[in-house]
Every structure is written in structure tokens, then in C-alpha cells.
Amino acid sequence: MSGSRCAALHSKNPAVHAAYCKDVAFFHMVPGIMQMKIFNMLRDETWVDNYLEESRRRLKNHAAIVMSCLDKLGLSYITPSGTLFIWADFTPVFRSDPSEEEAKTHIL
């Protein structure tokens, strides 16, 4: 299955569905063999439970690493809950106009 990609969106929020289908999604048929593999994988509830538990553990550990680095740098952030997306305030890094500093570091 190298190179195969498949994703699913599960939400009860109609606004999420509308935004996703309008601006993000690129739909096409998933090959039959891929559907079968995903079906077999997801119907194994023990595997799914173990996968989710391990995924949560890894996300928590990696978030702790990132937050530790941000703490060492003295940057403020919002502690994530359930994901690795961390909103951080990098304005102290920029000594002058951010666009000038970004140009110096080749970010833009």
C-alpha cells in the first residue's frame, strides 16, 4: 500500500462539512483493494483501540517536547488538548518589523 492515501472526515457539524467539501476535498474513488484493506483494519476493534491509545500517548509526548522547547525559549503558548497543534506567540523573537526579520532568516 505504499503511496496509497485515504482519509475520512467524521463530524456532525454541517459548517465543517460545507467548508471541507467546498474548499478542501478532492474526491475520487478509492480502489477496491484499498477499501477492503481499510475495512478489515477498522473492523478490528482491538487494533483500533490500541492504535488510538498509542497515538494519544505519542501526541502527548511530542507535545511535551515542543512545549519544553518553547518554555526554554521563554515563548508563551496555548497548551494543546488532544492534538499536536500548539498556538505559540513568536513576537518576542522579532526585534523589529516581523517582515524584516523574516527576510533575514529566509522564512519568506
Side-chain angles (χ1 to χ4, degrees):
M1 291 191 353
S2 178
S4 298
R5 304 289 182 263
C6 184
L9 172 67
H10 177 74
S11 175
K12 294 180 181 178
N13 185 332
V16 170
H17 285 261
Y20 187 80
C21 291
K22 179 182 175 204
D23 299 326
V24 178
F26 176 73
F27 296 104
H28 58 87
M29 290 296 298
V30 176
I33 189 75
M34 179 65 118
Q35 290 181 39
M36 183 184 72
K37 295 284 187 188
I38 293 169
F39 171 78
N40 287 331
M41 181 178 68
L42 293 177
R43 76 176 177 178
D44 182 348
E45 293 181 22
T46 302
W47 182 88
V48 171
D49 291 342
N50 290 336
Y51 173 83
L52 292 174
E53 182 180 332
E54 178 66 13
S55 178
R56 288 183 192 108
R57 185 190 67 76
R58 289 181 182 191
L59 282 172
K60 185 177 179 179
N61 289 343
H62 289 108
I65 292 168
V66 172
M67 290 184 297
S68 174
C69 290
L70 292 170
D71 288 338
K72 288 177 186 174
L73 294 170
L75 298 174
S76 60
Y77 56 88
I78 298 173
T79 303
S81 59
T83 69
L84 188 54
F85 291 101
I86 299 175
W87 292 94
D89 180 7
F90 287 93
T91 53
V93 174
F94 302 111
R95 290 174 289 245
S96 61
D97 179 30
S99 59
E100 293 173 15
E101 291 296 319
E102 289 171 350
K104 287 179 190 175
T105 59
H106 305 286
I107 293 172
L108 291 177

Tab-separated table of all heavy atoms in Angstrom, residues 47-76:
chain	number	residue	atom	x	y	z
A	47	TRP	N	-7.484	-3.642	17.559
A	47	TRP	CA	-6.414	-2.916	16.886
A	47	TRP	C	-6.686	-1.417	16.905
A	47	TRP	O	-5.794	-0.612	17.189
A	47	TRP	CB	-6.252	-3.403	15.442
A	47	TRP	CG	-5.131	-2.695	14.742
A	47	TRP	CD1	-3.823	-3.065	14.724
A	47	TRP	CD2	-5.217	-1.484	13.987
A	47	TRP	NE1	-3.089	-2.150	14.001
A	47	TRP	CE2	-3.924	-1.169	13.541
A	47	TRP	CE3	-6.267	-0.631	13.646
A	47	TRP	CZ2	-3.647	-0.047	12.765
A	47	TRP	CZ3	-5.986	0.491	12.876
A	47	TRP	CH2	-4.699	0.771	12.449
A	48	VAL	N	-7.924	-1.026	16.583
A	48	VAL	CA	-8.288	0.398	16.564
A	48	VAL	C	-8.095	1.012	17.942
A	48	VAL	O	-7.506	2.090	18.077
A	48	VAL	CB	-9.736	0.602	16.058
A	48	VAL	CG1	-10.181	2.052	16.245
A	48	VAL	CG2	-9.849	0.199	14.596
A	49	ASP	N	-8.571	0.343	18.988
A	49	ASP	CA	-8.409	0.862	20.349
A	49	ASP	C	-6.933	1.020	20.711
A	49	ASP	O	-6.526	2.040	21.275
A	49	ASP	CB	-9.100	-0.050	21.362
A	49	ASP	CG	-10.617	-0.015	21.257
A	49	ASP	OD1	-11.151	0.946	20.647
A	49	ASP	OD2	-11.264	-0.938	21.778
A	50	ASN	N	-6.124	0.012	20.394
A	50	ASN	CA	-4.682	0.082	20.673
A	50	ASN	C	-4.011	1.194	19.863
A	50	ASN	O	-3.150	1.913	20.374
A	50	ASN	CB	-4.000	-1.250	20.398
A	50	ASN	CG	-4.394	-2.311	21.402
A	50	ASN	OD1	-4.800	-2.007	22.526
A	50	ASN	ND2	-4.296	-3.563	21.002
A	51	TYR	N	-4.424	1.323	18.605
A	51	TYR	CA	-3.860	2.365	17.746
A	51	TYR	C	-4.163	3.747	18.319
A	51	TYR	O	-3.278	4.605	18.407
A	51	TYR	CB	-4.414	2.244	16.324
A	51	TYR	CG	-4.001	3.388	15.441
A	51	TYR	CD1	-2.767	3.373	14.808
A	51	TYR	CD2	-4.831	4.492	15.266
A	51	TYR	CE1	-2.363	4.438	14.004
A	51	TYR	CE2	-4.440	5.555	14.469
A	51	TYR	CZ	-3.215	5.527	13.855
A	51	TYR	OH	-2.816	6.584	13.081
A	52	LEU	N	-5.412	3.973	18.693
A	52	LEU	CA	-5.795	5.286	19.234
A	52	LEU	C	-5.076	5.578	20.550
A	52	LEU	O	-4.622	6.705	20.778
A	52	LEU	CB	-7.317	5.363	19.416
A	52	LEU	CG	-8.125	5.367	18.118
A	52	LEU	CD1	-9.614	5.303	18.432
A	52	LEU	CD2	-7.788	6.588	17.273
A	53	GLU	N	-4.947	4.579	21.406
A	53	GLU	CA	-4.245	4.756	22.677
A	53	GLU	C	-2.783	5.118	22.432
A	53	GLU	O	-2.245	6.048	23.041
A	53	GLU	CB	-4.343	3.475	23.510
A	53	GLU	CG	-3.690	3.582	24.872
A	53	GLU	CD	-3.806	2.287	25.664
A	53	GLU	OE1	-4.767	1.528	25.452
A	53	GLU	OE2	-2.917	2.044	26.488
A	54	GLU	N	-2.139	4.401	21.530
A	54	GLU	CA	-0.726	4.678	21.220
A	54	GLU	C	-0.578	6.042	20.561
A	54	GLU	O	0.362	6.793	20.852
A	54	GLU	CB	-0.160	3.575	20.314
A	54	GLU	CG	1.272	3.781	19.896
A	54	GLU	CD	2.282	3.707	21.031
A	54	GLU	OE1	1.926	3.253	22.146
A	54	GLU	OE2	3.440	4.110	20.813
A	55	SER	N	-1.502	6.389	19.674
A	55	SER	CA	-1.458	7.685	19.008
A	55	SER	C	-1.580	8.820	20.029
A	55	SER	O	-0.828	9.803	19.965
A	55	SER	CB	-2.577	7.779	17.975
A	55	SER	OG	-2.586	9.041	17.361
A	56	ARG	N	-2.519	8.686	20.956
A	56	ARG	CA	-2.678	9.707	22.011
A	56	ARG	C	-1.417	9.826	22.858
A	56	ARG	O	-0.990	10.920	23.204
A	56	ARG	CB	-3.877	9.369	22.885
A	56	ARG	CG	-5.205	9.595	22.209
A	56	ARG	CD	-6.375	9.308	23.164
A	56	ARG	NE	-7.607	9.265	22.416
A	56	ARG	CZ	-8.304	8.157	22.160
A	56	ARG	NH1	-7.895	6.991	22.640
A	56	ARG	NH2	-9.408	8.211	21.463
A	57	ARG	N	-0.817	8.695	23.194
A	57	ARG	CA	0.402	8.700	24.006
A	57	ARG	C	1.529	9.430	23.274
A	57	ARG	O	2.217	10.275	23.842
A	57	ARG	CB	0.824	7.263	24.331
A	57	ARG	CG	2.017	7.166	25.286
A	57	ARG	CD	2.551	5.742	25.396
A	57	ARG	NE	3.149	5.260	24.159
A	57	ARG	CZ	4.362	5.630	23.707
A	57	ARG	NH1	5.088	6.478	24.390
A	57	ARG	NH2	4.824	5.133	22.579
A	58	ARG	N	1.685	9.119	21.995
A	58	ARG	CA	2.753	9.751	21.215
A	58	ARG	C	2.509	11.246	21.048
A	58	ARG	O	3.445	12.045	21.131
A	58	ARG	CB	2.883	9.074	19.851
A	58	ARG	CG	3.461	7.690	19.923
A	58	ARG	CD	3.600	7.085	18.557
A	58	ARG	NE	4.105	5.734	18.625
A	58	ARG	CZ	4.510	5.049	17.576
A	58	ARG	NH1	4.456	5.579	16.363
A	58	ARG	NH2	4.961	3.819	17.719
A	59	LEU	N	1.257	11.626	20.769
A	59	LEU	CA	0.946	13.051	20.641
A	59	LEU	C	1.251	13.801	21.932
A	59	LEU	O	1.820	14.896	21.909
A	59	LEU	CB	-0.532	13.251	20.263
A	59	LEU	CG	-0.884	13.020	18.808
A	59	LEU	CD1	-2.392	13.047	18.627
A	59	LEU	CD2	-0.223	14.057	17.915
A	60	LYS	N	0.878	13.206	23.058
A	60	LYS	CA	1.137	13.829	24.356
A	60	LYS	C	2.639	13.998	24.590
A	60	LYS	O	3.096	15.056	25.026
A	60	LYS	CB	0.505	12.986	25.468
A	60	LYS	CG	0.596	13.593	26.836
A	60	LYS	CD	-0.123	12.732	27.865
A	60	LYS	CE	0.003	13.332	29.246
A	60	LYS	NZ	-0.706	12.542	30.256
A	61	ASN	N	3.405	12.949	24.294
A	61	ASN	CA	4.861	13.014	24.469
A	61	ASN	C	5.501	14.066	23.563
A	61	ASN	O	6.359	14.826	23.995
A	61	ASN	CB	5.501	11.651	24.219
A	61	ASN	CG	5.198	10.652	25.309
A	61	ASN	OD1	4.784	11.018	26.403
A	61	ASN	ND2	5.404	9.385	25.019
A	62	HIS	N	5.092	14.099	22.308
A	62	HIS	CA	5.667	15.063	21.377
A	62	HIS	C	5.242	16.490	21.719
A	62	HIS	O	6.048	17.421	21.580
A	62	HIS	CB	5.323	14.699	19.939
A	62	HIS	CG	6.052	13.491	19.466
A	62	HIS	ND1	5.436	12.282	19.277
A	62	HIS	CD2	7.354	13.281	19.172
A	62	HIS	CE1	6.328	11.390	18.887
A	62	HIS	NE2	7.506	11.971	18.812
A	63	ALA	N	4.020	16.660	22.158
A	63	ALA	CA	3.581	17.992	22.589
A	63	ALA	C	4.412	18.451	23.781
A	63	ALA	O	4.804	19.620	23.865
A	63	ALA	CB	2.095	17.982	22.937
A	64	ALA	N	4.718	17.542	24.696
A	64	ALA	CA	5.538	17.885	25.871
A	64	ALA	C	6.935	18.336	25.436
A	64	ALA	O	7.494	19.286	26.008
A	64	ALA	CB	5.634	16.701	26.820
A	65	ILE	N	7.491	17.690	24.422
A	65	ILE	CA	8.809	18.083	23.908
A	65	ILE	C	8.756	19.493	23.332
A	65	ILE	O	9.607	20.335	23.624
A	65	ILE	CB	9.305	17.073	22.850
A	65	ILE	CG1	9.605	15.723	23.506
A	65	ILE	CG2	10.527	17.613	22.104
A	65	ILE	CD1	9.818	14.592	22.512
A	66	VAL	N	7.742	19.764	22.504
A	66	VAL	CA	7.613	21.085	21.890
A	66	VAL	C	7.393	22.151	22.962
A	66	VAL	O	8.028	23.214	22.936
A	66	VAL	CB	6.465	21.097	20.853
A	66	VAL	CG1	6.190	22.504	20.352
A	66	VAL	CG2	6.783	20.169	19.695
A	67	MET	N	6.512	21.869	23.932
A	67	MET	CA	6.250	22.849	24.994
A	67	MET	C	7.489	23.097	25.834
A	67	MET	O	7.748	24.234	26.256
A	67	MET	CB	5.070	22.399	25.847
A	67	MET	CG	3.744	22.466	25.104
A	67	MET	SD	2.292	22.054	26.115
A	67	MET	CE	2.614	20.357	26.534
A	68	SER	N	8.291	22.070	26.068
A	68	SER	CA	9.534	22.228	26.813
A	68	SER	C	10.486	23.171	26.075
A	68	SER	O	11.113	24.052	26.692
A	68	SER	CB	10.192	20.865	27.027
A	68	SER	OG	11.451	21.008	27.626
A	69	CYS	N	10.582	23.012	24.777
A	69	CYS	CA	11.425	23.900	23.973
A	69	CYS	C	10.904	25.335	24.013
A	69	CYS	O	11.687	26.276	24.148
A	69	CYS	CB	11.492	23.417	22.524
A	69	CYS	SG	12.424	21.893	22.311
A	70	LEU	N	9.593	25.494	23.898
A	70	LEU	CA	9.006	26.832	23.960
A	70	LEU	C	9.251	27.468	25.328
A	70	LEU	O	9.546	28.665	25.415
A	70	LEU	CB	7.510	26.782	23.640
A	70	LEU	CG	7.147	26.410	22.197
A	70	LEU	CD1	5.648	26.159	22.063
A	70	LEU	CD2	7.610	27.486	21.222
A	71	ASP	N	9.148	26.659	26.397
A	71	ASP	CA	9.426	27.162	27.744
A	71	ASP	C	10.868	27.643	27.848
A	71	ASP	O	11.143	28.711	28.400
A	71	ASP	CB	9.172	26.077	28.797
A	71	ASP	CG	7.687	25.790	29.006
A	71	ASP	OD1	6.854	26.667	28.686
A	71	ASP	OD2	7.377	24.677	29.477
A	72	LYS	N	11.807	26.857	27.328
A	72	LYS	CA	13.227	27.221	27.374
A	72	LYS	C	13.494	28.512	26.612
A	72	LYS	O	14.390	29.274	26.971
A	72	LYS	CB	14.087	26.087	26.818
A	72	LYS	CG	14.157	24.887	27.730
A	72	LYS	CD	14.950	23.761	27.103
A	72	LYS	CE	14.883	22.519	27.985
A	72	LYS	NZ	15.518	21.358	27.349
A	73	LEU	N	12.731	28.739	25.547
A	73	LEU	CA	12.880	29.953	24.759
A	73	LEU	C	12.115	31.131	25.358
A	73	LEU	O	12.224	32.256	24.870
A	73	LEU	CB	12.403	29.709	23.314
A	73	LEU	CG	13.232	28.722	22.507
A	73	LEU	CD1	12.520	28.379	21.204
A	73	LEU	CD2	14.609	29.300	22.229
A	74	GLY	N	11.320	30.855	26.395
A	74	GLY	CA	10.537	31.910	27.030
A	74	GLY	C	9.361	32.385	26.196
A	74	GLY	O	8.919	33.517	26.329
A	75	LEU	N	8.846	31.508	25.333
A	75	LEU	CA	7.725	31.867	24.475
A	75	LEU	C	6.420	31.354	25.077
A	75	LEU	O	6.364	30.251	25.600
A	75	LEU	CB	7.921	31.278	23.080
A	75	LEU	CG	9.164	31.771	22.336
A	75	LEU	CD1	9.335	31.014	21.031
A	75	LEU	CD2	9.089	33.264	22.088
A	76	SER	N	5.394	32.170	24.982
A	76	SER	CA	4.095	31.752	25.513
A	76	SER	C	3.339	30.949	24.453
A	76	SER	O	3.560	31.106	23.255
A	76	SER	CB	3.275	32.967	25.947
A	76	SER	OG	3.041	33.823	24.852
